[in-house]
Structure formats: structure tokens, C-alpha cells
Amino acid sequence: MVDIMDTIEPGAESAVDRPLPPRLEVTPGVASYDTPAQFDALPSKLSVHDLDFFYGKEQALFANDLEIKEHRVTAIIGPSGCGKSTHLRCYNRIYELYRDQKAMGEIAFDGANILAPGTDLLSLRRRIGMIFQKPSPFPMTVFDNIAYGLRMHFKLSKSELSERVEDALKRGALWEEVKNKLNEPGLALSGGQQQRLCIARAIAAEPELILMDEPCSAIDPVGTAKIEELLQELKSSYTIVLVTHNMQQAARVSDYTAFFFEGRIIEFGATTQIFEKPVQRQTEEYITGRFG
Amino acid sequence: MTATTTDLSRCPMAPRSVRRRRLVNTVITTSSWIAAAIGIFVMGWIVVTVVVRGIGAWNVAFFTQLPPTGNDPGGGLANAIVGTLVITFGAAVVGLPLGFFGAIYLSEFGRAGRVATGIRAVTNIVLGVPSIVAGMFAYALLVLPSHHYSGFSASVALAFIMLPVMTRTAEDVLNLVPNELRESALAMGAPRWRATLGVVVKAARAGLITGAILAVVRVAGETAPLLFTALSSPYWLSGFFGPSGYFGGPTANLTKDIYDFSQQPYPHLIQLAWGGSLLIIVAVLGVNVVTRLLFQRGKEW
Ligand SMILES: Nc1ncnc2c1ncn2[C@@H]1O[C@H](COP(=O)(O)OP(=O)(O)OP(=O)(O)O)[C@@H](O)[C@H]1O
Ligand SMILES: [Mg+2]
């Protein structure tokens, strides 16, 4: 019980008093292909160093190293069970919900190691949003779903709140479809709409990094297309990490791709390079569909 | 064909007899129909008997007056109705929150830990304890030291029965909430208590309400635990302390009155006992129906 209670932060109450960060500027026309020199020059939003992960005694990740570049979409691909979700779940330490799971190594988020003890998990998780495979709207209205993070982290007047909710729904490409349904339960929306609701809910809290674990796997092709389009718009304001099983999706929306295999990062590079000229044999075999 | 696959043509499968399958189907369907019919028939019989015998007792006096003293007919069970409501309410006030928070501890915090496993084991044991033991427990805990029976001690006995029922159903309901919902709330930066109360409990609320109401209904008709605690009383419940108060003295209640009056040689008292039985049946049925309505409304938020 103790380890779970530890995740409740001492700063829980003060979270509300934090000033609202400015809305992130939209800078259109971000290059989708950076040269190696440009890659090195780009600031890393998050850098993973020597990350190991354990489910009890079972090791699931081995010495992962990865740079997540700011304002880029980084895709994580690899066969089922290779550790993609496990890796992603380290970034916001959500795995700590389960007492036998443990991460070791370093994950620097804006320079600070979030795996270090004493990290303020509540503010970390406000700054790092997460979208899950299965849409998970909260059991409340569309409006309250979006307002959930806003109410929790910021002090807002009623009008500011509804303004922010509208803005988040617009950025989540859902406003037109739900503007007359704000007081209906979030669960009454279609699967694809629910997923965009979850994206809008994450965006509303003004995160800097958005983690998505196969966000389209439970969504039909039309819904998927909408979410992919949304990703393109979002990456100018946010840094995105996308786990996907869909090779075409990774190729379409990401700037960088990491290929995972059996808990290790086999290859990491610009998406075009990974898909056109993979260096590692395993990467090539996976991409061309020979295994996985 | 590779060596690892079996050549299926060498072991032909005889088709299973269609006649046999049909026969089995008919036998099983028929026997379940018969079993269901017997169950429904017996329950219907009980309800019809209670309605037929009890409805005659229902008049204004039944709901407003004290039981008759001596041999004169008339009178009612008003004090017992009030007593049963108060005792049950008192039990709910103690038992439901304890069960609710116990269930939250078990499903959200304790989980597979040693403390939680221990609590679960104790809960299961208490669930199986005959209700008269709950009465003895309250008797030893409250009646003996204070030297008097009381409605409160009856509430404690009923709460003792209610607690494991509520804990178990609430934990089951909370366990049905998918982990993704907990993770989603925590991933939004919610502190653990907020994710639990604001999202997990909210998602489970229809089931929690149903569980709570059914736990209350479960004890409302108990007789045995009241024998050593509330006992019975020919008087109105009045106030909290003093010989007729909730904490101070024996308290009238429906089940004990039904039990006592049904043993009397006087037809008018037996009639009152039937009336009381009918009231309990109607109340339990009514609460069940209302719960079901609530449950459905709960689904629409
Ligand atoms: N809760 C758990 N307990 C124990 N082992 C787990 C648990 N979750 C995952 N694993 C193991 O860790 C490894 C990595 O799992 P993970 O879920 O990260 O894979 P993944 O790449 O996301 O797969 P998928 O593409 O199917 O989602 C697998 O071998 C899996 O069996
Ligand atoms: Mg996964």
C-alpha cells in the first residue's frame, strides 16, 4: 500500500495555484525531414538513457536510449510484445500504479530526471499527456471531460473555463461535432469521437509532450484519418510520441522512428531513412513484413 | 504436407448423432423450465398468501396506532414501523460508509497485498456467519455492559451483517471499472484520491447505489439479531435516551412483533402479524423496483 500512496504528491493542493501557461504558439511548416546535423541541433524534449524496465523479476526493457525531439512526431514501431507500451509508460511513470513494476535508468524531461525520487508526478503528468489505445472518456459530460484537467490544475473563472474547453475541442478537431452535445455524456460519442475527446482532454491541460499508445487501433479508417490529420496540426505546438502497429501510419505522420525488438531499441532515425534505407537487418525484415 | 501435421483423412470423424443432441437439448430445456416454474410458483404462493391474509389488517389504525393492549381488537403496528425504519437507517449510517470505504481500500489501494487479503478473508467468514451471531455480538458489546436493550444495539447488529455484504458487492463493482480509466485519470495529473472518487467511483456509481440499497434491504427483514438487542416494545420510540429512547431501551420493530403476535391465540393479533409481513414484502419489492429505476437512470448519467 505504501508504494502506491507515495505517488500522491505533497504538492497536490498547490497545483491549483500554478499560473496558467501561455497558449502555445502555432508555427506552421515544421520540416518533416531533418538532416543528421539538424537532428543534433534540435533540442531534445526528452532523452532516455540506459532505461531498464522490470515486471516483477521479468525484465521487459534493456538499456533503451532515445532522443525525443521537440516539435516532432516520433513513432515507436515493433512487433507485438516488444516493449513499446512499456517504454512509453515510463515517460509519465504511470506504471507505478502497479506495485511490482519498476524502471531503472534515466529519463531527462527538459533536463530533469523524472525517474529520480521526489519528482512532482502531478505536474509531470500535466506536462505530459497520454492517450490510450482504448478511448477512455470519464463518466461525465463532454464538457466536464475536457474541464477535468483544467479544473484540477488551474484556477479559472467560469467564462475562462468554457473558453478553454471550446478551444481544446477545436484543437482536438471535435468542436463542430459536439458543440451541441456539451452536456451529454462523453460515452455517448462514437469511438473515434471519444478518442478525439481524450486527445482534446489531454490538450486542454496544456501539456508539452503527448504520448499516444496505438490511438487508432480501435477506430475505423475515417476516424483514423481524422486523428492523423489532427496529429499533423498538433505537432507544431506539441511534441508527440506515437506507438503504432500501422507501418503506413508511422511513415505518414512521423518525423523519426524507433524500431523496438525484444525490449531493445534496434534502430532509431529519421522516418524516411528507417523506411527506405534501414541499417539493421531486423528493421528491414519487420518493415517489409517478413516477421512481426 | 509437412511431417508435423496429422493426416486427417486417416482418422475420419464420425458425425455426432443429431437425434442424441436433440434429445439432450430437450431434456435440459425442459428441466430448467420445470425448476424455474417451481421456484416462481412457491414465491408466488407466499406472496399471494401474505397479500390475502395481510391486506385485511391494513387500515388507518394499522399505520397510526400502537398495538392493542389486552384483548380488545383494533390498534396497529405504527411504533414497530417507526422502530424498524430507525433501526435500519441507523444500521445503514454505520454499515454502508464503512463497507464503501473498505471496498475502496480493497480494490484501489490494498489489492493483492497481505492486509487486503486478510480483510477479504474476514469479510467472507462474516458473510457466512448466521445472523443470530450478529445479535449475540451486539448483545455482548452493548446490551450487557449497559444493562438494557436498545434500538441502537440492534442497528449495530444489523450493520455487522450489512458491512460484509456492502464491502463485497462494492468491491466487485469497483473491480469492474477498467484499469484504463484509472490510468487515464492519473495520467491527467490527478492525485490518487481524486482519480478514485471523481472517476472510478463515478463510473461505478450505478452499481454502488444498487449494492447499497440491496444491502439495506437484506437486513431490513432480519429477526434473529433483534431478539437480544431491540427486543420489542409496546411504546413509541421517543428521543434518544431514556427508557423509550433509541439508545436507552427496547425498541419496537416489525419483525419481532410479527414473531410475537403470530404465536398469540388471538386472531386480531395474528391478523396484525400478517399485515406486518405484507408491509415488509411490499417495502422490499418497492425498494427493489425503485433501485432498478435508479440503476437505469444511473446508466444515462
Ligand atoms: N502487466 C504485465 N506483467 C508482466 N509482463 C508484462 C505486463 N505487461 C506487459 N508485459 C510483458 O512485457 C513485454 C512488453 O509488453 P508491451 O505491452 O510493452 O508490448 P508492446 O510492444 O506494447 O506490444 P503490443 O504491440 O502488443 O501492444 C511483453 O513480453 C509482455 O508480455
Ligand atoms: Mg502495447
Side-chain angles (χ1 to χ4, degrees):
Chain A
M1 183 197 153
V2 175
D3 48 351
I4 290 173
M5 296 305 284
D6 282 349
T7 63
I8 296 174
E9 291 311 308
E13 258 56 59
S14 66
V16 175
D17 303 329
R18 224 171 276 137
L20 193 60
R23 273 181 222 186
L24 292 155
E25 279 303 308
V26 175
T27 46
V30 179
S32 63
Y33 186 80
D34 304 301
T35 63
Q38 283 168 319
F39 176 82
D40 290 337
L42 272 175
S44 284
K45 191 68 197 166
L46 188 134
S47 43
V48 181
H49 183 61
D50 211 13
L51 177 68
D52 292 331
F53 191 92
F54 298 86
Y55 288 104
K57 291 196 178 69
E58 203 74 34
Q59 186 164 2
L61 297 180
F62 302 84
N64 288 179
D65 283 312
L66 195 59
E67 298 289 323
I68 305 296
K69 293 295 180 180
E70 196 159 16
H71 295 304
R72 295 290 185 273
V73 177
T74 304
I76 295 181
I77 61 171
S80 189
C82 68
K84 307 181 292 294
S85 303
T86 306
H87 181 89
L88 201 67
R89 291 162 62 84
C90 292
Y91 291 7
N92 62 355
R93 285 176 54 177
I94 197 73
Y95 63 84
E96 287 185 2
L97 181 58
Y98 310 96
R99 66 179 69 205
D100 65 329
Q101 304 187 9
K102 201 165 89 210
M104 285 162 69
E106 190 190 71
I107 299 176
F109 179 52
D110 277 351
N113 181 11
I114 61 158
L115 292 184
T119 303
D120 176 1
L121 285 188
L122 302 193
S123 75
L124 175 76
R125 288 171 183 166
R126 186 198 61 74
R127 295 172 63 199
I128 301 182
M130 190 169 209
I131 316 295
F132 295 82
Q133 179 167 0
K134 216 175 120 224
S136 52
F138 295 149
M140 44 185 94
T141 63
V142 170
F143 185 94
D144 287 340
N145 260 281
I146 307 294
Y148 187 81
L150 289 168
R151 286 192 180 119
M152 188 157 54
H153 294 293
F154 309 111
K155 239 181 198 143
L156 294 171
S157 73
K158 235 181 170 160
S159 62
E160 281 173 318
L161 184 67
S162 40
E163 201 179 301
R164 288 267 169 180
V165 168
E166 177 174 339
D167 180 63
L169 283 169
K170 279 179 177 157
R171 284 189 287 165
L174 192 59
W175 175 250
E176 286 307 318
E177 290 157 68
V178 302
K179 63 183 175 191
N180 297 322
K181 297 185 185 171
L182 293 180
N183 290 319
E184 283 175 32
L187 282 163
L189 302 178
S190 77
Q193 288 173 331
Q194 286 184 14
Q195 195 61 301
R196 276 177 286 145
L197 182 74
C198 293
I199 295 176
R201 183 174 73 193
I203 293 173
E206 301 288 351
E208 297 152 43
L209 174 64
I210 301 178
L211 313 174
M212 301 188 172
D213 193 350
E214 301 182 38
C216 300
S217 61
I219 312 290
D220 72 3
V222 177
T224 300
K226 278 192 178 152
I227 290 175
E228 284 185 15
E229 204 177 304
L230 177 59
L231 285 182
Q232 289 306 328
E233 285 164 29
L234 293 179
K235 79 174 190 189
S236 50
S237 325
Y238 309 94
T239 305
I240 296 171
V241 184
L242 172 73
V243 171
T244 179
H245 262 136
N246 182 326
M247 291 304 112
Q248 285 78 28
Q249 183 173 63
R252 273 194 303 265
V253 304
S254 71
D255 304 298
Y256 295 101
T257 298
F259 171 64
F260 277 61
F261 184 61
E262 292 179 346
R264 294 170 206 280
I265 300 179
I266 303 295
E267 192 165 359
F268 173 59
T271 299
T272 37
Q273 176 252 309
I274 295 283
F275 280 86
E276 282 162 19
K277 302 193 281 289
V279 176
Q280 301 296 329
R281 185 182 47 83
Q282 287 155 314
T283 315
E284 186 182 351
E285 285 180 353
Y286 179 67
I287 286 168
T288 54
R290 252 169 282 167
F291 79 83
Chain B
M1 187 157 289
T2 60
T4 51
T5 47
T6 324
D7 186 356
L8 290 175
S9 62
R10 267 192 285 148
C11 50
M13 291 184 287
R16 297 187 57 169
S17 152
V18 177
R19 263 224 333 253
R20 206 185 107 88
R21 220 187 294 167
R22 281 213 189 113
L23 184 71
V24 169
N25 187 35
T26 313
V27 168
I28 291 181
T29 314
T30 316
S31 32
S32 36
W33 270 105
I34 292 171
I38 291 174
I40 289 172
F41 173 74
V42 171
M43 283 194 298
W45 190 10
I46 293 173
V47 171
V48 167
T49 311
V50 173
V51 170
V52 169
R53 303 254 195 143
I55 198 75
W58 279 23
N59 50 34
V60 177
F62 179 84
F63 293 98
T64 55
Q65 291 181 12
L66 292 178
T69 47
N71 296 342
D72 355 310
L77 294 179
N79 62 338
I81 296 172
V82 172
T84 289
L85 286 176
V86 170
I87 290 170
T88 310
F89 179 78
V93 166
V94 178
L96 294 184
L98 280 179
F100 173 70
F101 286 109
I104 287 195
Y105 172 75
L106 291 179
S107 85
E108 306 300 310
F109 297 97
R111 300 199 185 186
R114 226 173 300 155
V115 181
T117 311
I119 294 178
R120 251 178 235 115
V122 171
T123 303
N124 283 340
I125 292 167
V126 177
L127 261 181
V129 164
S131 61
I132 197 158
V133 174
M136 292 302 286
F137 168 74
Y139 180 78
L141 188 74
L142 295 165
V143 176
L144 275 185
S146 70
H147 302 292
H148 55 73
Y149 296 99
S150 69
F152 176 68
S153 62
S155 292
V156 169
L158 294 185
F160 184 76
I161 300 169
M162 203 185 279
L163 179 60
V165 178
M166 181 62 190
T167 309
R168 261 282 282 275
T169 41
E171 192 197 350
D172 288 348
V173 169
L174 288 171
N175 280 340
L176 287 180
V177 175
N179 268 340
E180 290 101 77
L181 212 55
R182 292 180 178 86
E183 291 180 5
S184 300
L186 294 177
M188 290 294 303
R192 199 63 203 283
W193 64 267
R194 203 166 169 157
T196 302
L197 295 182
V199 175
V200 178
V201 168
K202 209 166 188 178
R205 68 184 180 278
L208 290 172
I209 292 171
T210 312
I213 293 175
L214 295 183
V216 171
V217 170
R218 159 81 177 70
V219 303
E222 282 287 351
T223 318
L226 305 184
L227 295 177
F228 317 108
T229 51
L231 204 65
S232 66
S233 160
Y235 309 114
W236 289 100
L237 180 68
S238 73
F240 290 100
F241 304 100
S244 296
Y246 176 61
F247 294 101
T251 304
N253 59 85
L254 278 174
T255 43
K256 184 72 166 59
D257 277 3
I258 293 169
Y259 177 77
D260 289 341
F261 293 176
S262 62
Q263 323 247 327
Q264 302 293 323
Y266 305 107
H268 65 278
L269 289 183
I270 292 174
Q271 171 83 82
L272 279 182
W274 281 111
S277 309
L278 176 61
L279 183 57
I280 290 180
I281 285 194
V282 167
V284 168
L285 269 179
V287 169
N288 266 304
V289 169
V290 170
T291 308
R292 223 145 277 185
L293 291 179
L294 261 178
F295 185 73
Q296 265 150 19
R297 191 132 42 89
K299 269 190 182 158
E300 301 157 17
W301 314 120

